[in-house]
Amino acid sequence: MSNSNSNEVISEISNGNSPIQTPNDVKSINGHAGKPNGSLTLKPFRIFIGYDPREDVAYEVCKYSILRRSSIPVEVYPIKQSELRKKGLYWRERGKLESTEFSFSRFLTPHLANYEGWAMFVDCDFLYLADFKELVDLIDDKYAIMCVQHDYAPKETTKMDGAVQTVYPRKNWSSMVLYNCGHPKNKVLTPEIVNSATGAYLHRFQWLEDDEIGSIPFVWNFLVGHNKSVENDPSTFPKAIHYTLGGPWFEAWKNCEFADLWVNEMEEYEKKTKKN
């Protein structure tokens, strides 16, 4: 298992599965999700993954699962609380109900993306099974954000390694969000607001009107233990698995549903790391 460098924020860049030779080969991805808009650039799509030292291997596997399958250029950044504090971007005290270090720092995504183009935040406990381009192709510029709009009320009182489970409206909506970072409404997400606003304001997207929140099919945030696949119905097959209660990297969840897929991915990641 690899330890991420905690001294600096490092991006991982993938140029996709096909060689890219010139700026004319790829349309703007950050601007309009790769759709024809007259702007041609090699800018990779920016992905910010929540990082917690307790889940280093989960972060690495999530990142690897995106990079190995993406046919478009992507750039992956860890959202590390320690680094954000050093940079003066994050200073709020950790609350008793915050199960990870990125419970609130995730909302700095538009700021970290310079309030330009599109970017994604995702929890580290995801495993991507599909080409990231398929998700990017769903982007619609009329929305300020896009996410899977779960109706989720877990019955468990704890999760992960004993963290307190909380129930609130729009739970898990913020676990994977496509941000239209240049949208005027998202400019409210300054470091000052992220460090002072309530959990309800941030996690329920209360800076937005309902019609400014676009919907993504649930298969892109497939909640283990909640969502179900239907045999012979590909529209229900997970494209990104979310081990929201806890994944195989925690002893208590080593035999959870889809654990084998995550373990296989981890082994592939470790093989690649050893080769390098």
XYZ file of all heavy atoms in Angstrom, residues 73-165:
773
model
N -8.220 13.420 -21.288
C -7.220 13.882 -20.318
C -7.884 14.287 -19.005
O -8.882 15.010 -19.011
C -6.590 15.097 -21.007
C -6.949 14.972 -22.451
C -8.262 14.272 -22.486
N -7.342 13.819 -17.900
C -7.834 14.221 -16.591
C -6.653 14.575 -15.700
O -5.529 14.121 -15.918
C -8.676 13.113 -15.917
C -9.924 12.820 -16.721
C -7.867 11.843 -15.704
N -6.934 15.392 -14.704
C -5.927 15.840 -13.756
C -6.506 15.603 -12.369
O -7.600 16.100 -12.069
C -5.655 17.321 -13.983
C -4.286 17.797 -13.608
C -4.023 19.187 -14.165
O -4.921 20.047 -14.080
O -2.922 19.407 -14.683
N -5.808 14.837 -11.542
C -6.345 14.449 -10.239
C -5.560 15.121 -9.115
O -4.337 15.075 -9.089
C -6.295 12.915 -10.058
C -6.837 12.533 -8.686
C -7.089 12.217 -11.162
N -6.309 15.739 -8.192
C -5.701 16.412 -7.048
C -6.308 15.878 -5.753
O -7.532 15.765 -5.648
C -5.971 17.919 -7.085
C -5.463 18.638 -8.294
C -6.262 18.766 -9.435
C -4.199 19.224 -8.310
C -5.809 19.451 -10.545
C -3.742 19.913 -9.421
C -4.553 20.024 -10.534
O -4.104 20.705 -11.641
N -5.493 15.600 -4.743
C -6.055 15.248 -3.435
C -6.430 16.524 -2.684
O -5.696 17.519 -2.721
C -4.896 14.528 -2.735
C -3.674 15.139 -3.339
C -4.027 15.499 -4.759
N -7.578 16.519 -2.026
C -7.926 17.632 -1.134
C -7.460 17.224 0.255
O -8.110 16.437 0.943
C -9.440 17.924 -1.165
C -9.800 18.586 -2.492
C -9.844 18.807 -0.002
C -11.210 19.134 -2.566
N -6.291 17.746 0.637
C -5.667 17.393 1.909
C -5.825 18.550 2.887
O -5.364 19.663 2.639
C -4.183 17.085 1.715
C -3.913 15.813 0.935
C -2.429 15.490 0.927
C -2.151 14.174 0.229
N -0.717 13.818 0.254
N -6.466 18.266 4.005
C -6.719 19.317 4.977
C -5.423 19.959 5.472
O -5.348 21.183 5.637
C -7.525 18.758 6.164
C -7.986 19.838 7.114
C -8.768 19.299 8.284
O -8.402 19.521 9.444
N -9.856 18.592 8.012
N -4.402 19.147 5.704
C -3.138 19.689 6.218
C -2.542 20.711 5.261
O -2.027 21.760 5.683
C -2.139 18.555 6.470
O -1.872 17.840 5.268
N -2.622 20.438 3.967
C -2.077 21.368 2.979
C -2.933 22.637 2.886
O -2.410 23.747 2.737
C -1.999 20.690 1.611
C -0.964 19.584 1.525
C 0.433 20.072 1.898
O 0.874 21.089 1.318
O 1.057 19.453 2.767
N -4.239 22.467 2.964
C -5.132 23.630 2.897
C -4.913 24.543 4.095
O -4.981 25.778 3.968
C -6.585 23.169 2.836
C -6.980 22.402 1.580
C -8.385 21.833 1.723
C -6.897 23.294 0.339
N -4.634 23.960 5.249
C -4.358 24.771 6.435
C -3.052 25.547 6.267
O -2.966 26.733 6.620
C -4.305 23.893 7.686
C -5.667 23.349 8.100
C -5.618 22.622 9.436
N -6.912 22.067 9.798
C -7.907 22.749 10.364
N -7.742 24.034 10.640
N -9.053 22.166 10.655
N -2.047 24.895 5.712
C -0.770 25.569 5.488
C -0.919 26.747 4.534
O -0.251 27.770 4.670
C 0.256 24.580 4.921
C 0.749 23.538 5.908
C 1.714 22.579 5.230
C 2.145 21.471 6.160
N 3.038 20.490 5.477
N -1.811 26.594 3.566
C -2.016 27.638 2.568
C -2.993 28.713 3.042
O -3.266 29.674 2.325
C -2.532 27.012 1.267
C -1.548 26.082 0.585
C -2.188 25.426 -0.636
C -1.234 24.430 -1.286
N -0.041 25.073 -1.854
N -3.545 28.547 4.238
C -4.473 29.523 4.774
C -5.858 29.464 4.161
O -6.630 30.429 4.242
N -6.198 28.316 3.556
C -7.501 28.172 2.912
C -8.526 27.471 3.790
O -9.729 27.508 3.513
C -7.349 27.390 1.598
C -6.507 28.052 0.506
C -6.359 27.122 -0.684
C -7.138 29.370 0.077
N -8.049 26.826 4.842
C -8.968 26.069 5.699
C -8.524 26.204 7.143
O -7.360 25.949 7.477
C -8.972 24.594 5.289
C -10.121 23.810 5.872
C -11.399 23.928 5.351
C -9.932 22.960 6.965
C -12.466 23.216 5.893
C -10.983 22.241 7.507
C -12.254 22.381 6.962
O -13.308 21.677 7.501
N -9.473 26.636 7.995
C -9.117 26.864 9.388
C -10.220 26.459 10.372
O -10.039 26.577 11.577
C -8.757 28.337 9.604
C -9.844 29.310 9.193
C -10.901 29.722 9.953
C -9.966 29.976 7.933
N -11.679 30.615 9.246
C -11.126 30.802 7.995
C -9.215 29.974 6.748
C -11.545 31.584 6.927
C -9.630 30.752 5.682
C -10.785 31.547 5.782
N -11.337 25.961 9.891
C -12.406 25.619 10.827
C -12.035 24.398 11.661
O -11.306 23.503 11.201
C -13.746 25.433 10.106
C -13.890 24.192 9.287
C -15.224 24.213 8.514
N -16.390 24.129 9.374
C -17.628 24.472 9.000
N -17.870 24.944 7.792
N -18.636 24.355 9.843
N -12.518 24.363 12.895
C -12.243 23.231 13.772
C -13.092 22.044 13.337
O -14.206 22.209 12.849
C -12.552 23.598 15.229
C -11.630 24.664 15.807
C -11.915 24.938 17.274
O -12.709 24.179 17.875
O -11.353 25.900 17.815
N -12.559 20.860 13.547
C -13.282 19.659 13.153
C -14.385 19.346 14.163
O -14.150 19.276 15.366
C -12.332 18.476 13.031
C -13.017 17.191 12.562
C -12.015 16.142 12.151
N -12.676 14.910 11.741
C -12.039 13.871 11.203
N -10.729 13.934 11.022
N -12.704 12.782 10.853
N -15.599 19.165 13.665
C -16.733 18.852 14.518
C -16.808 17.365 14.831
O -16.227 16.530 14.137
N -17.551 17.023 15.872
C -17.656 15.637 16.316
C -18.338 14.743 15.285
O -18.129 13.524 15.270
C -18.424 15.576 17.633
C -17.695 16.246 18.795
C -18.510 16.142 20.068
C -17.789 16.815 21.237
N -18.592 16.741 22.488
N -19.166 15.322 14.417
C -19.911 14.519 13.446
C -19.216 14.419 12.089
O -19.751 13.815 11.159
C -21.326 15.095 13.269
C -22.209 15.081 14.517
C -23.567 15.681 14.207
C -22.360 13.664 15.075
N -18.029 14.996 11.970
C -17.294 14.934 10.700
C -16.559 13.600 10.619
O -15.593 13.368 11.337
C -16.313 16.102 10.579
C -16.999 17.454 10.481
C -15.995 18.608 10.434
O -14.973 18.469 9.728
O -16.236 19.621 11.113
N -17.002 12.736 9.728
C -16.431 11.383 9.658
C -15.112 11.346 8.899
O -14.361 10.377 9.004
C -17.428 10.417 9.014
O -17.786 10.854 7.718
N -14.826 12.393 8.107
C -13.559 12.453 7.367
C -12.982 13.864 7.451
O -13.663 14.818 7.828
C -13.748 12.116 5.875
O -14.536 13.146 5.256
C -14.427 10.770 5.696
N -11.718 13.991 7.066
C -11.060 15.292 7.079
C -11.574 16.220 5.975
O -11.315 17.413 6.000
C -9.540 15.128 6.938
C -8.864 14.574 8.175
C -7.354 14.766 8.139
O -6.839 15.295 7.116
O -6.691 14.396 9.123
N -12.303 15.657 5.005
C -12.774 16.487 3.891
C -14.281 16.734 3.938
O -14.886 17.095 2.934
C -12.379 15.856 2.547
C -12.711 14.391 2.414
C -13.956 13.970 1.983
C -11.751 13.429 2.710
C -14.255 12.625 1.848
C -12.036 12.067 2.591
C -13.296 11.672 2.155
N -14.863 16.561 5.123
C -16.314 16.757 5.254
C -16.745 18.139 4.763
O -17.801 18.282 4.133
C -16.742 16.561 6.712
O -16.612 15.210 7.102
N -15.941 19.164 5.041
C -16.272 20.515 4.606
C -15.299 21.070 3.563
O -15.694 21.882 2.724
C -16.322 21.464 5.802
C -17.514 21.251 6.682
C -17.377 20.656 7.926
C -18.776 21.632 6.264
C -18.485 20.439 8.739
C -19.895 21.422 7.064
C -19.744 20.828 8.309
N -14.056 20.626 3.598
C -13.064 21.162 2.654
C -13.435 20.844 1.210
O -12.973 21.511 0.275
C -11.665 20.626 2.970
O -11.638 19.213 2.966
N -14.286 19.844 0.977
C -14.736 19.500 -0.376
C -15.360 20.696 -1.102
O -15.302 20.787 -2.323
C -15.759 18.362 -0.298
C -17.102 18.761 0.303
C -18.045 17.584 0.464
N -17.570 16.642 1.464
C -17.772 15.329 1.389
N -18.444 14.807 0.375
N -17.310 14.538 2.339
N -15.977 21.595 -0.329
C -16.689 22.709 -0.944
C -15.754 23.821 -1.415
O -16.204 24.825 -1.969
C -17.743 23.248 0.020
C -18.800 22.227 0.345
C -18.795 21.554 1.563
C -19.777 21.900 -0.582
C -19.748 20.589 1.858
C -20.734 20.928 -0.310
C -20.716 20.273 0.914
N -14.450 23.619 -1.235
C -13.459 24.542 -1.794
C -13.169 24.232 -3.258
O -12.397 24.949 -3.898
C -12.151 24.472 -0.996
C -12.173 25.087 0.404
C -10.902 24.717 1.153
C -12.322 26.606 0.322
N -13.785 23.186 -3.793
C -13.489 22.771 -5.172
C -13.569 23.902 -6.183
O -12.614 24.113 -6.954
C -14.401 21.601 -5.589
O -14.093 20.456 -4.772
C -14.203 21.234 -7.046
N -14.645 24.699 -6.247
C -14.668 25.805 -7.226
C -13.522 26.800 -7.016
O -12.944 27.304 -7.987
C -16.034 26.459 -6.987
C -16.871 25.357 -6.423
C -15.938 24.590 -5.540
N -13.204 27.084 -5.760
C -12.098 28.002 -5.467
C -10.771 27.420 -5.948
O -9.964 28.121 -6.574
C -12.043 28.284 -3.963
C -10.914 29.176 -3.560
N -10.985 30.557 -3.635
C -9.665 28.903 -3.101
C -9.843 31.080 -3.230
N -9.028 30.096 -2.898
N -10.542 26.135 -5.653
C -9.294 25.484 -6.068
C -9.190 25.405 -7.587
O -8.094 25.305 -8.142
C -9.212 24.084 -5.453
C -9.135 24.039 -3.923
C -9.227 22.595 -3.429
C -7.848 24.686 -3.426
N -10.343 25.440 -8.267
C -10.374 25.416 -9.733
C -10.415 26.835 -10.310
O -10.700 27.007 -11.501
C -11.573 24.616 -10.217
N -10.157 27.816 -9.462
C -10.110 29.225 -9.899
C -11.437 29.708 -10.480
O -11.457 30.631 -11.300
C -8.982 29.446 -10.910
C -7.616 29.193 -10.320
O -7.312 29.646 -9.209
N -6.787 28.439 -11.033
N -12.527 29.087 -10.049
C -13.865 29.485 -10.510
C -13.947 29.510 -12.037
O -14.566 30.386 -12.630
C -14.260 30.848 -9.927
C -14.230 30.873 -8.412
C -13.182 31.484 -7.725
C -15.245 30.282 -7.666
C -13.144 31.500 -6.336
C -15.220 30.295 -6.272
C -14.159 30.906 -5.616
O -14.131 30.912 -4.237
N -13.314 28.517 -12.656
C -13.300 28.428 -14.112
C -13.649 27.013 -14.564
O -13.184 26.029 -13.982
C -11.917 28.786 -14.675
C -11.481 30.215 -14.401
C -10.061 30.470 -14.879
O -9.356 29.492 -15.223
O -9.646 31.641 -14.894
N -14.451 26.907 -15.629
C -14.753 25.621 -16.239
C -15.469 24.660 -15.297
O -16.058 25.049 -14.290
N -15.418 23.392 -15.645
C -16.023 22.350 -14.832
C -14.952 21.566 -14.082
O -13.824 21.421 -14.578
C -16.836 21.390 -15.696
C -18.164 21.932 -16.141
C -18.401 22.772 -17.188
C -19.435 21.678 -15.535
N -19.745 23.062 -17.273
C -20.411 22.394 -16.285
C -19.860 20.900 -14.459
C -21.768 22.367 -15.968
C -21.206 20.865 -14.142
C -22.154 21.596 -14.896
N -15.299 21.077 -12.915
C -14.415 20.215 -12.133
C -15.285 19.295 -11.298
O -16.474 19.566 -11.088
C -13.503 21.046 -11.231
N -14.703 18.217 -10.837
C -15.458 17.275 -10.012
C -14.820 17.094 -8.653
O -13.592 17.047 -8.535
C -15.550 15.899 -10.685
C -16.423 14.907 -9.900
S -16.566 13.275 -10.676
C -15.003 12.518 -10.182
N -15.666 17.020 -7.624
C -15.216 16.525 -6.334
C -15.796 15.134 -6.136
O -16.969 14.882 -6.480
C -15.674 17.401 -5.164
C -15.405 16.709 -3.845
C -14.152 16.778 -3.271
C -16.372 15.907 -3.241
C -13.869 16.073 -2.099
C -16.093 15.198 -2.071
C -14.837 15.290 -1.506
N -15.007 14.251 -5.547
C -15.514 12.922 -5.215
C -14.841 12.427 -3.939
O -13.658 12.695 -3.699
C -15.285 11.928 -6.381
C -13.796 11.697 -6.632
C -16.007 10.613 -6.121
N -15.615 11.733 -3.095
C -15.051 11.083 -1.914
C -14.027 10.039 -2.349
O -14.102 9.489 -3.448
C -16.152 10.372 -1.119
C -17.057 11.330 -0.359
O -16.861 12.551 -0.456
O -17.985 10.837 0.329
N -13.111 9.711 -1.442
C -12.072 8.739 -1.791
C -12.570 7.301 -1.791
O -11.886 6.411 -2.301
C -10.883 8.867 -0.847
S -11.248 8.457 0.883
N -13.775 7.071 -1.240
C -14.256 5.687 -1.126
C -15.085 5.260 -2.343
O -16.061 4.520 -2.210
C -15.044 5.482 0.169
C -16.186 6.475 0.353
O -16.331 7.385 -0.482
O -16.932 6.348 1.351
N -14.676 5.726 -3.516
C -15.311 5.358 -4.782
C -14.387 4.441 -5.574
O -13.165 4.533 -5.479
C -15.566 6.604 -5.635
C -16.884 7.297 -5.381
C -17.143 7.911 -4.159
C -17.863 7.356 -6.369
C -18.342 8.561 -3.927
C -19.062 8.003 -6.156
C -19.315 8.608 -4.937
N -14.994 3.606 -6.386
C -14.278 2.783 -7.354
C -14.950 2.978 -8.704
O -16.133 2.660 -8.865
C -14.328 1.307 -6.958
C -13.711 0.316 -7.963
C -12.204 0.527 -8.050
C -14.039 -1.124 -7.577
N -14.221 3.531 -9.666
C -14.791 3.788 -10.991
C -14.615 2.567 -11.883
O -13.519 2.007 -11.989
C -14.145 5.027 -11.623
C -14.733 6.298 -11.062
C -14.319 6.790 -9.835
C -15.744 6.981 -11.728
C -14.879 7.925 -9.282
C -16.311 8.123 -11.192
C -15.882 8.586 -9.969
O -16.461 9.706 -9.429
N -15.700 2.182 -12.535
C -15.709 0.997 -13.397
C -15.899 1.353 -14.864
O -15.821 0.471 -15.725
C -16.841 0.050 -12.968
C -16.827 -0.413 -11.516
C -18.043 -1.292 -11.241
C -15.539 -1.161 -11.192
N -16.145 2.633 -15.159
C -16.434 3.063 -16.531
C -15.515 4.204 -16.935
O -14.869 4.837 -16.088
C -17.896 3.488 -16.659
N -15.479 4.452 -18.222
C -14.700 5.552 -18.782
C -15.238 6.877 -18.246
O -16.431 7.175 -18.367
C -14.815 5.503 -20.310
C -13.952 6.544 -21.012
O -13.386 7.438 -20.347
O -13.866 6.459 -22.262
N -14.369 7.694 -17.672
C -14.779 8.973 -17.099
C -15.432 9.879 -18.149
O -16.249 10.735 -17.810
C -13.570 9.674 -16.471
C -13.918 10.918 -15.703
C -14.583 10.833 -14.488
C -13.594 12.165 -16.205
C -14.919 11.984 -13.781
C -13.929 13.314 -15.509
C -14.585 13.225 -14.290
N -15.088 9.691 -19.397
C -15.687 10.487 -20.468
C -17.210 10.347 -20.488
O -17.928 11.305 -20.816
C -15.113 10.082 -21.832
C -15.679 10.874 -23.008
C -15.097 10.398 -24.326
C -15.618 11.244 -25.492
N -17.083 11.140 -25.655
N -17.718 9.173 -20.147
C -19.161 8.955 -20.128
C -19.843 9.882 -19.132
O -20.961 10.357 -19.368
C -19.478 7.501 -19.781
C -19.023 6.481 -20.812
C -19.374 5.072 -20.392
O -20.458 4.883 -19.771
O -18.582 4.157 -20.644
N -19.186 10.151 -18.024
C -19.739 11.062 -17.022
C -19.646 12.505 -17.509
O -20.607 13.275 -17.398
C -18.999 10.896 -15.697
C -19.437 11.804 -14.547
C -20.922 11.623 -14.239
C -18.600 11.525 -13.299
N -18.507 12.855 -18.062
C -18.311 14.220 -18.565
C -19.320 14.545 -19.667
O -19.812 15.674 -19.777
C -16.867 14.400 -19.074
C -16.694 15.728 -19.796
C -15.884 14.318 -17.904
N -19.665 13.549 -20.462
C -20.622 13.768 -21.553
C -22.022 14.127 -21.051
O -22.857 14.604 -21.822
C -20.705 12.522 -22.443
C -19.497 12.375 -23.362
O -18.765 13.368 -23.532
O -19.294 11.266 -23.893
N -22.290 13.894 -19.777
C -23.597 14.223 -19.206
C -23.713 15.684 -18.783
O -24.807 16.166 -18.471
C -23.871 13.329 -17.975
C -23.918 11.821 -18.211
C -24.105 11.104 -16.873
C -25.050 11.457 -19.171
N -22.604 16.396 -18.787
C -22.592 17.778 -18.299
C -23.495 18.676 -19.136
O -23.502 18.610 -20.365
C -21.154 18.333 -18.287
C -20.373 17.705 -17.129
C -21.148 19.851 -18.188
C -18.923 18.127 -17.061
N -24.247 19.510 -18.430
C -25.119 20.499 -19.062
C -24.803 21.858 -18.437
O -24.979 22.051 -17.230
C -26.588 20.128 -18.838
C -27.549 20.995 -19.650
O -27.226 22.175 -19.896
O -28.626 20.497 -20.024
N -24.368 22.798 -19.254
C -23.908 24.088 -18.754
C -24.988 24.924 -18.080
O -24.676 25.928 -17.434
C -23.300 24.906 -19.901
C -21.934 24.400 -20.307
O -21.252 23.806 -19.460
O -21.542 24.598 -21.468
N -26.236 24.550 -18.221
C -27.291 25.360 -17.604
C -27.337 25.178 -16.089
O -27.964 25.964 -15.382
C -28.651 25.026 -18.213
C -29.251 23.702 -17.794
C -30.620 23.501 -18.442
C -31.274 22.195 -18.016
N -32.594 21.997 -18.655
N -26.667 24.137 -15.582
C -26.681 23.857 -14.152
C -25.440 24.425 -13.452
O -24.363 24.502 -14.042
C -26.750 22.364 -13.895
C -28.023 21.715 -14.391
C -27.993 20.764 -15.418
C -29.255 22.045 -13.842
C -29.160 20.168 -15.873
C -30.429 21.445 -14.295
C -30.373 20.522 -15.312
O -31.531 19.936 -15.767
N -25.601 24.766 -12.173
C -24.471 25.206 -11.358
C -23.682 24.008 -10.854
O -22.457 24.054 -10.736
C -24.958 26.045 -10.184
N -24.402 22.944 -10.524
C -23.772 21.688 -10.141
C -24.603 20.552 -10.706
O -25.769 20.742 -11.082
C -23.650 21.503 -8.609
C -25.034 21.345 -7.973
C -22.858 22.630 -7.969
C -25.010 20.885 -6.526
N -24.018 19.364 -10.737
C -24.746 18.157 -11.113
C -24.301 17.037 -10.178
O -23.115 16.939 -9.836
C -24.488 17.784 -12.573
C -24.933 18.849 -13.569
S -24.694 18.354 -15.303
C -25.988 17.111 -15.465
N -25.265 16.217 -9.747
C -24.939 15.130 -8.834
C -26.027 14.068 -8.893
O -27.089 14.273 -9.485
C -24.797 15.644 -7.402
S -26.327 16.297 -6.698
N -25.759 12.929 -8.266
C -26.784 11.898 -8.106
C -27.669 12.323 -6.940
O -27.184 12.569 -5.834
C -26.165 10.518 -7.829
C -27.257 9.490 -7.554
C -25.307 10.080 -9.008
N -28.965 12.405 -7.183
C -29.887 12.930 -6.175
C -30.544 11.775 -5.412
O -31.692 11.408 -5.628
C -30.905 13.840 -6.846
C -30.234 15.037 -7.538
C -31.211 15.996 -8.180
O -32.420 15.892 -8.019
N -30.684 16.957 -8.933
N -29.767 11.216 -4.493
C -30.208 10.063 -3.718
C -31.355 10.402 -2.763
O -31.449 11.516 -2.252
C -29.059 9.521 -2.866
C -27.984 8.843 -3.643
N -28.192 7.670 -4.330
C -26.675 9.160 -3.827
C -27.055 7.294 -4.908
N -26.129 8.183 -4.616
N -32.191 9.417 -2.520
C -33.139 9.441 -1.412
C -32.643 8.384 -0.445
O -32.995 7.207 -0.530
C -34.558 9.122 -1.895
C -35.577 9.169 -0.764
O -35.211 9.614 0.340
O -36.723 8.734 -0.976
N -31.776 8.789 0.489
C -31.000 7.834 1.278
C -31.095 8.165 2.764
O -30.727 9.258 3.186
C -29.548 7.878 0.819
C -28.599 6.971 1.562
C -28.805 5.602 1.627
C -27.462 7.496 2.190
C -27.918 4.775 2.294
C -26.562 6.669 2.859
C -26.801 5.312 2.912
O -25.916 4.492 3.581
N -31.601 7.230 3.533
C -31.692 7.382 4.984
C -31.154 6.106 5.624
O -31.900 5.149 5.883
C -33.128 7.628 5.418
N -29.850 6.022 5.864
C -29.251 4.794 6.407
C -29.784 4.452 7.793
O -30.080 5.329 8.605
C -27.756 5.140 6.458
C -27.715 6.632 6.542
C -28.872 7.111 5.704
N -29.894 3.147 8.053
C -30.382 2.670 9.348
C -29.227 2.453 10.325
O -29.432 2.399 11.539
C -31.161 1.372 9.153
C -32.415 1.534 8.300
C -33.121 0.210 8.093
C -34.359 0.367 7.218
N -35.043 -0.928 6.961
N -28.023 2.295 9.798
C -26.863 2.062 10.659
C -26.566 3.298 11.508
O -26.775 4.433 11.076
C -25.629 1.718 9.813
C -25.750 0.427 9.022
C -26.502 0.595 7.717
O -26.884 1.743 7.380
O -26.716 -0.417 7.030
N -26.059 3.098 12.706
C -25.705 4.213 13.588
C -24.225 4.568 13.501
O -23.813 5.641 13.928
C -26.051 3.889 15.052
O -25.380 2.681 15.437
C -27.558 3.705 15.211
N -23.419 3.651 12.941
C -21.995 3.917 12.738
C -21.603 3.482 11.333
O -22.326 2.739 10.665
C -21.105 3.167 13.754
O -21.307 1.760 13.599
C -21.435 3.594 15.183
N -20.447 3.942 10.891
C -19.935 3.555 9.586
C -18.415 3.562 9.616
O -17.798 3.975 10.605
C -20.441 4.512 8.499
C -20.002 5.962 8.679
C -20.546 6.832 7.555
C -20.106 8.272 7.702
N -20.577 9.126 6.578
N -17.813 3.075 8.539
C -16.361 3.077 8.381
C -15.694 2.374 9.556
O -15.938 1.199 9.823
C -15.863 4.506 8.180
C -16.461 5.177 6.950
S -16.320 6.966 6.909
C -14.556 7.189 6.788
N -14.863 3.108 10.308
C -14.154 2.503 11.438
C -14.746 2.964 12.762
O -14.042 3.221 13.728
C -12.662 2.837 11.382
C -12.390 4.328 11.257
O -13.359 5.100 11.065
O -11.211 4.734 11.343
N -16.085 3.072 12.796
C -16.760 3.463 14.027
C -17.246 4.898 14.048
O -17.752 5.373 15.074
N -17.119 5.608 12.919
C -17.576 6.990 12.842
C -19.097 7.039 12.992
O -19.805 6.124 12.580
C -17.163 7.612 11.515
N -19.580 8.130 13.576
C -21.020 8.287 13.780
C -21.720 8.488 12.439
O -21.291 9.284 11.604
C -21.309 9.486 14.708
C -22.822 9.716 14.825
C -20.699 9.253 16.086
N -22.796 7.742 12.216
C -23.605 7.889 11.009
C -24.642 8.995 11.246
O -25.276 9.025 12.299
C -24.302 6.576 10.673
C -25.228 6.616 9.464
C -24.478 6.813 8.166
O -24.091 7.939 7.829
N -24.268 5.737 7.439
